[in-house]
Structure formats: structure tokens, C-alpha cells
Amino acid sequence: MISQVIRLLPDSVANQIAAGEVVQRPASVVKELVENSIDAFAKSIKIYVKDAGKTLIQVVDDGIGMSEVDARMAFERHATSKISSADDLFAISTFGFRGEALASIASVAQVEMITRREEDEVGTRVDIHGSKFIKQESLVCAKGTTISVKNLFFNIPARRRFLKSDAIEFRHIVDEFIRVALSHPEVSFLLVHNQSEVYNLTATTLKQRIVHLFGKNISTDLLDVSVDTSIVSIQGFIGKPESAKKKNNYQFLFVNNRYFRHPFLYRVILNAYGNLLLPETTPSYFIYFSCDPKFIDVNIHPTKTEIKFEDERAVAQILEATVRQTLGNTNILPNIEFNNESAITLPFNDEKKMIKPPSIKINPDYNPFEPKQKTVQWKNFFEPEHIVEKREQVQIAESLSVESEKQANDIIQLHQRFLLVTVKSGLMVIDQHRAHFRVLYEMLINKYELGSIATERLIFPEILELDQKQFLFIKDLLPHLQRLGFAIQMTDEKKLIIEEIPSFWSDYQLATVFENFFNQYEELEKLPDASSLDFLLIPLAKSIAVKNGKPLNEEERQRLFDELFATSNPQYAPDGKLIFYIIPVNEFEKKF
Ligand code: ADP
Ligand code: MG
């Protein structure tokens, strides 16, 4: 069999390709493999992950597959079926185009590929471990390609150690998954982590895909955007201004069905909303640009997702006008005047001002979901066994970087409520309760997603009596409660019989937390984008978070600080309240 499809990339092109590493973490592998599946016209893509991808990442597709020769060649550096000249680099609309992903992945993992084209009777299997060809053999298999990447960085222990906790690495995988799932609603996707199904998305419309990913509440918050010009066409959805929120994280731009980041266009969108937004809130948006690929400068750095439009100003103006028009068309804002000044001075989403975390110390080997940890009570959250061993300097916004490597003792507790940390630009003041609230909330989400919550059977089931509203509320949330580790019976007389609870819960009053669910539910309902899970997690995390007034020892302070800055949003608690602020040095100088 002769390869018809794959060509070797000429050196001239290879040299144009920015150097860099394709594989930084398990999520990069997921991204590259899934993009390849999409390029291979797969209609169904299944992703199986073990231990956040550290042990296994397996992507199963039903795409066009590869011939025996191509299967072997796919692992050669600069082997690609997608490019044959330098010009192609700028006209490419498929995801991958460097011909180095598989080669790079196979150089740092044990890779096994099984593939078959429709027209071939038998398929082929290729095993490559750390760039070393192990074997190739024929076998009977389904049409399409299955690539299993095992023991990532097995041959580079330093990089393996550098990986973050499973929770964090898995969150990166989910981020990549969501981006690609949003780019291709016509493809069905399955994501399974450690045997539990995280997402199972059927092929559908874009709007339904968004709903499947983010919950049905979001659909009523979205407005259609649609415009077609000679330069670019824009389709998608933007959130109603009143549904904008502080901790909004549903902001996506795509070009020719590829996710990209573009801080300037983010600002253009915010500007188009103008004063329809409450201060410091951002709307959701899912905006899809299509244009001739030759008008886009694809940054060919292996991991960057940034691109440049040839006529960035024109694109920005079209985008701004479209968003304004959409908001106007729906009578949210009648008679909007086109405003040519771009509000680059908006206080939010301004990269210069964006808060980035100070240096973070993380124990890369710490895995909160390991069985041995399961018995750890949450009230003992600050146990010495958690002492962070390893430090990692994360390069961050200059003004915020912590002055020097922190030693435990460095963090002062003030009035048993505030943690004080010196940072380059001044003094950081952290509210301990809100900080812990954020940390626990994210840990709960992770545990929930992973379905890894240890449970405990109550010897005497606890019985709570409910009114109709409460009964319906719990009924709606029952699946979430079960996944959180509660086993609950609901009787016709509107009684809740709680038979099993999550083990971390055993020392907290059940009645109180259920009361909190009900008490806070109306308040949370006002948050337009709180997910139904948030109705449980926010009160749950809040009620077990360390209270103000509790003395924390050195290790506890250090650990809380470290954990806070390992969360996705260290600045705000899940209920939107500020966690920390920085008193600038010049405020002190003024006093003297
Ligand atoms: P690139 O995607 O940049 O071309 P990769 O190293 O990711 O480079 O893949 C090399 C080649 O292997 C691709 O060009 C494609 O021909 C083939 N290939 C990789 N994954 C798949 C897949 N899932 N199905 C079919 N062909 C694939
Ligand atoms: Mg590729």
C-alpha cells in the first residue's frame, strides 16, 4: 500500500514553524488528538481519561482512518496530510497543520494507535514508546482511529512531577473539551474520567450544545447574533445584559470553527454593551467568525490559540455594530447610537489590571482524590499532612508577584479574620472565610465532577419535614445530591429520609445545611447564571468554610493561601464577594 495522503513537510516550511513544545500537559494531548479526529471528519469522538490523563488518554473516533503506511508515517516529525507548501500555512482551515503533534506526543509517552480506513479490510496497529518504534501489526478493528497515550512524560520524570494535581489537570482537559465541543455541535462527544461519564453530548445544534454544556437556564439568556459581510460573517449568541455576572466564564470566540483568544475583541464586545452592564460584570458570548482563511494570520506557535485578522479594525467595527444592533433589536436598548470610541479604558478585562495570582506553591504529587485521602475530614482540612512541599514560581503580573519566596510565618493573621501578605505592589489583605469558601467550592465541584465522594451510612437516618416548595426544590436537585454522596428517600408526606451522607460531612449538622439550602436558594435564584448545582454547592461550601474568628496556625495560613491561588478565581468568592485586595505601597508612603 502506497501512502496517498501524507507528504513530508519541506524544510523551508518546517523552519517557518515556531519552535516550542506541543505537549505541555495532558490537556494539550487531548486537544491535539481531538483536533486530528475532527480533521479526519469524525462524527463521534470518545475520550477516555484516567488520572487526569497522567495514566491514560484515549481518543476513539470514527473518522477516515489511515492506511498502513500512513499510520506509521503519521509519527514522523513534520508528517502531515494537511500542508504541502509554505503558502498553505496561511490558507489552512483545519485544526492541526504542523505535522508534529503525534511525533511530539509519541516522544514523551507510550502510544498505541489502531486505525482502519473504510476501504481496507483489516486495520493496523502501531506502538511507539518514547519515539521508539515498538511494533506494527495488522488487526481487525472498527473504521476510524483509536489513539491511546499512556503514562505521559514517563521518560521525563521532571516534567511528570511538574504536573499539577489531578483536579487541576482535569479541569484543563475539560476546558479544552468544552472549546472543541462548542466548535463542532454536529459531532457527538463523550468524555469519561476514571470510569465516570463527565459529558455525553449528542450531535445537535449549536444552541442545544450550549444548553447541554452549561444548563438549560442559559438558553433564555441568549440572543442571536448574525451578520454577513464581504470581510467576515459573524454568527452565534450573546448574553442578555442582565444576565452578565462577575464571575462569568462563558466567553468564547471561534474563527472558522476554531477557538481563539483575542483580548482586543473581548473589549470591543464589552464596549458594545456599554452602560447596559453593571460595573465589573461581563456577559456570556459564543461568537463564531467565518472568513477566508487567507485573511487570518494564524499564529503557528504550537500551543497559542491567538490569531490576527488581516483587517482587525474592520472586523472589530463589524462586531461592535452587530452586538449593538442585536441588543437594540430586542428592545433592550432602543435607539442605540453607534459609538466609535472604543472603551479600552473599561476597568474590567483590561489585561494590565487583570489580577493574576502571586507565586503559588503546589505539591504536584498531592492528589485530593487518592483513596488514602478519602478519610480526611474536612474540618481537618488544615492538617499538617497537607503541608505543601514543593514550590513553583508562576510568572505573573509584576505588580502582584510576591516579593520573595514565602516561608510559612510570613503570613500574618489579623483579628483572626484577615491574612496579610506582602506583595511587590503593597500589602495583600485576604478574608480567610471567603478564601476558604472559594477553595472548598472548587474542591466540591471537582469531587462532584469526578464522582469520587466517599460516603457514610447513618445508623439512624435523619428525617426532615419539608413544605411543598422545599420538597420540589430537593426533588429537582436530587440527582446532584446523590452525586454529592447523599442517599435520600422522599416520602409522599413530604419527608426527607437521609440515609447516607458524604463522609466529609459527618461532623456538620444536616438539618442546618438543608436549612441553608432553602434559605439561600431565593437569593441564589437572583443570580441569573447560578447553575442548579450551585444551589447546593454554594451553601454547602459556605457552611463548612472556616469561620472568621478562628485562629489559624502558620501551616494553615500558608496552605489556605496556596490553595486559594490554585483556584480559578481567587479574587471573588462563589457568591461574588471580594476575597482580597491590595493596599498599594504609596498609600503607606502618604502616611509618612
Ligand atoms: P497534523 O495534524 O498537524 O497534520 P499530527 O501529528 O497531529 O499533524 O498528525 C499527523 C497526520 O496523521 C495527520 O496529518 C493525519 O494525516 C494523520 N492523523 C492523525 N490523527 C488522525 C486521525 N484521528 N484520523 C486520521 N488521520 C489522522
Ligand atoms: Mg494534528
Side-chain angles (χ1 to χ4, degrees):
M1 234 166 302
I2 302 287
S3 164
Q4 299 289 312
V5 196
I6 295 187
R7 286 175 289 264
L8 279 177
L9 203 57
D11 280 349
S12 58
V13 184
N15 292 340
Q16 290 184 343
I17 294 169
E21 301 244 41
V22 180
V23 188
Q24 298 193 322
R25 56 183 355 138
S28 359
V29 175
V30 172
K31 174 175 186 279
E32 294 293 338
L33 296 184
V34 173
E35 287 180 351
N36 280 346
S37 297
I38 287 189
D39 290 342
F41 308 101
K43 284 284 147 249
S44 151
I45 299 176
K46 297 175 183 151
I47 306 157
Y48 300 90
V49 173
K50 268 198 198 134
D51 305 323
K54 294 172 188 171
T55 310
L56 173 74
I57 296 160
Q58 185 179 59
V59 174
V60 182
D61 74 42
D62 61 352
I64 57 172
M66 280 166 266
S67 70
E68 212 180 301
V69 176
D70 281 353
R72 177 69 186 87
M73 232 176 108
F75 290 100
E76 300 292 333
R77 192 157 292 273
H78 308 312
T80 178
S81 54
K82 299 165 193 170
I83 250 179
S84 57
S85 75
D87 289 345
D88 284 1
L89 272 178
F90 301 98
I92 201 87
S93 60
T94 54
F95 275 109
F97 46 81
R98 299 174 302 271
E100 59 185 10
L102 282 185
S104 308
I105 293 167
S107 70
V108 294
Q110 295 154 342
V111 176
E112 174 192 307
M113 179 162 86
I114 293 172
T115 185
R116 182 172 73 82
R117 299 184 300 180
E118 184 141 46
E119 62 266 40
D120 296 334
E121 223 143 82
V122 289
T124 185
R125 169 180 169 162
V126 183
D127 287 11
I128 296 190
H129 295 178
S131 293
K132 197 161 160 256
F133 174 80
I134 304 290
K135 65 166 185 227
Q136 180 164 17
E137 64 192 18
S138 299
L139 83 178
V140 176
C141 62
K143 174 206 159 201
T145 303
T146 296
I147 299 186
S148 310
V149 175
K150 294 178 187 161
N151 303 319
L152 186 64
F153 301 136
F154 78 102
N155 51 355
I156 318 178
R159 290 197 64 187
R160 198 169 164 86
R161 270 198 303 277
F162 195 69
L163 292 174
K164 305 253 167 87
S165 71
D166 282 13
I168 292 173
E169 292 299 343
F170 188 65
R171 197 174 315 139
H172 284 288
I173 290 178
V174 168
D175 286 345
E176 293 294 353
F177 178 86
I178 286 176
R179 289 167 190 169
V180 74
L182 282 172
S183 332
H184 290 276
E186 77 287 358
V187 175
S188 73
F189 288 94
L190 173 72
L191 176 62
V192 174
H193 188 209
N194 293 340
Q195 253 102 49
S196 68
E197 195 176 285
V198 184
Y199 288 101
N200 188 350
L201 307 171
T202 48
T204 182
T205 59
L206 173 60
K207 187 140 185 191
Q208 277 306 109
R209 175 61 50 92
I210 293 173
V211 167
H212 290 159
L213 285 168
F214 304 118
K216 66 176 186 308
N217 288 346
I218 196 167
S219 64
T220 50
D221 292 333
L222 296 180
L223 305 167
D224 283 84
V225 279
S226 176
V227 71
D228 201 359
T229 71
S230 56
I231 298 174
V232 69
S233 99
I234 301 176
Q235 310 291 332
F237 301 99
I238 59 172
K240 291 178 184 165
E242 66 270 25
S243 66
K245 56 179 186 172
K246 277 187 185 160
K247 56 188 178 89
N248 196 301
N249 44 19
Y250 305 148
Q251 282 124 13
F252 296 92
L253 301 183
F254 301 88
V255 61
N256 297 343
N257 292 325
R258 284 183 60 187
Y259 170 83
F260 73 103
R261 287 174 31 78
H262 206 300
F264 172 58
L265 292 183
Y266 299 158
R267 285 197 296 264
V268 167
I269 296 167
L270 287 182
N271 190 38
Y273 276 79
N275 57 13
L276 292 177
L277 296 175
L278 290 174
E280 287 177 47
T281 62
T282 34
S284 287
Y285 48 80
F286 305 85
I287 296 178
Y288 294 71
F289 298 85
S290 349
C291 69
D292 188 327
K294 68 172 181 272
F295 295 134
I296 311 172
D297 182 359
V298 181
N299 182 332
I300 54 176
H301 183 278
T303 56
K304 262 197 210 154
T305 44
E306 282 168 28
I307 63 134
K308 226 172 136 33
F309 289 96
E310 190 175 84
D311 192 348
E312 205 118 298
R313 257 168 200 282
V315 171
Q317 276 177 10
I318 295 165
L319 176 65
E320 176 160 358
T322 310
V323 172
R324 278 179 189 275
Q325 199 194 9
T326 301
L327 296 171
N329 276 351
T330 52
N331 292 326
I332 288 168
L333 184 71
N335 307 322
I336 306 170
E337 278 179 34
F338 192 86
N339 177 1
N340 261 321
E341 295 164 11
S342 70
I344 292 173
T345 51
L346 280 178
F348 36 98
N349 258 16
D350 185 331
E351 302 119 295
K352 284 200 204 86
K353 290 185 185 168
M354 205 142 79
I355 303 294
K356 298 258 179 74
S359 72
I360 298 170
K361 295 166 216 173
I362 282 171
N363 171 4
D365 302 323
Y366 169 64
N367 173 358
F369 307 115
E370 268 169 16
K372 68 177 163 59
Q373 301 278 354
K374 279 194 178 158
T375 54
V376 172
Q377 298 291 305
W378 286 56
K379 69 174 167 97
N380 294 338
F381 182 66
F382 291 118
E383 268 182 356
E385 67 179 86
H386 293 295
I387 299 171
V388 173
E389 290 157 2
K390 189 103 188 158
R391 283 151 197 239
E392 181 196 337
Q393 288 288 338
V394 172
Q395 200 45 50
I396 48 142
E398 284 254 305
S399 64
L400 260 181
S401 59
V402 173
E403 276 186 322
S404 59
E405 286 236 340
K406 290 260 136 307
Q407 299 296 322
N409 225 356
D410 275 347
I411 301 176
I412 295 166
Q413 192 186 25
L414 179 71
H415 276 231
Q416 301 181 348
R417 167 161 184 196
F418 298 110
L419 303 184
L420 308 183
V421 189
T422 52
V423 294
K424 240 186 202 162
S425 60
L427 183 67
M428 179 186 277
V429 186
I430 303 171
D431 180 294
Q432 69 182 41
H433 169 71
R434 292 179 191 174
H436 198 207
F437 181 13
R438 162 60 65 191
V439 168
L440 291 179
Y441 171 77
E442 297 209 358
M443 286 181 88
L444 280 170
I445 288 184
N446 282 317
K447 281 181 170 271
Y448 176 91
E449 279 175 357
L450 299 168
S452 65
I453 297 180
T455 62
E456 203 168 275
R457 218 163 173 84
L458 295 175
I459 304 168
F460 304 106
E462 181 133 352
I463 299 174
L464 304 177
E465 298 206 24
L466 307 179
D467 64 26
Q468 173 69 8
K469 210 169 154 191
Q470 293 173 338
F471 189 79
L472 291 176
F473 171 76
I474 291 295
K475 206 167 157 210
D476 268 2
L477 297 178
L478 204 56
H480 288 319
L481 279 163
Q482 277 161 352
R483 206 173 155 82
L484 279 169
F486 291 95
I488 298 176
Q489 303 279 344
M490 301 187 77
T491 72
D492 290 343
E493 304 87 59
K494 305 199 174 39
K495 282 188 184 147
L496 275 193
I497 306 173
I498 304 169
E499 297 169 333
E500 216 170 284
I501 56 169
S503 324
F504 67 77
W505 196 254
S506 43
D507 286 338
Y508 300 93
Q509 286 282 321
L510 268 181
T512 319
V513 77
F514 274 81
E515 232 160 68
N516 285 344
F517 289 154
F518 304 129
N519 292 343
Q520 292 177 32
Y521 138 63
E522 287 190 8
E523 212 173 293
L524 291 174
E525 219 174 25
K526 286 185 211 138
L527 292 175
D529 287 336
S531 70
S532 55
L533 183 59
D534 280 343
F535 287 123
L536 298 175
L537 293 191
I538 291 181
L540 209 58
K542 196 171 164 65
S543 48
I544 55 180
V546 66
K547 300 281 175 293
N548 290 329
K550 184 180 185 322
L552 302 180
N553 67 30
E554 288 163 19
E555 286 149 18
E556 293 168 345
R557 292 172 213 162
Q558 186 66 54
R559 179 164 170 81
L560 181 54
F561 177 83
D562 291 338
E563 297 248 6
L564 174 65
F565 285 98
T567 65
S568 65
N569 188 351
Q571 212 187 354
Y572 292 101
D575 58 2
K577 298 214 170 103
L578 195 67
I579 295 175
F580 71 84
Y581 82 104
I582 291 170
I583 307 173
V585 181
N586 62 13
E587 289 293 320
F588 293 101
E589 284 164 357
K590 277 190 222 151
K591 304 275 180 211
F592 294 94

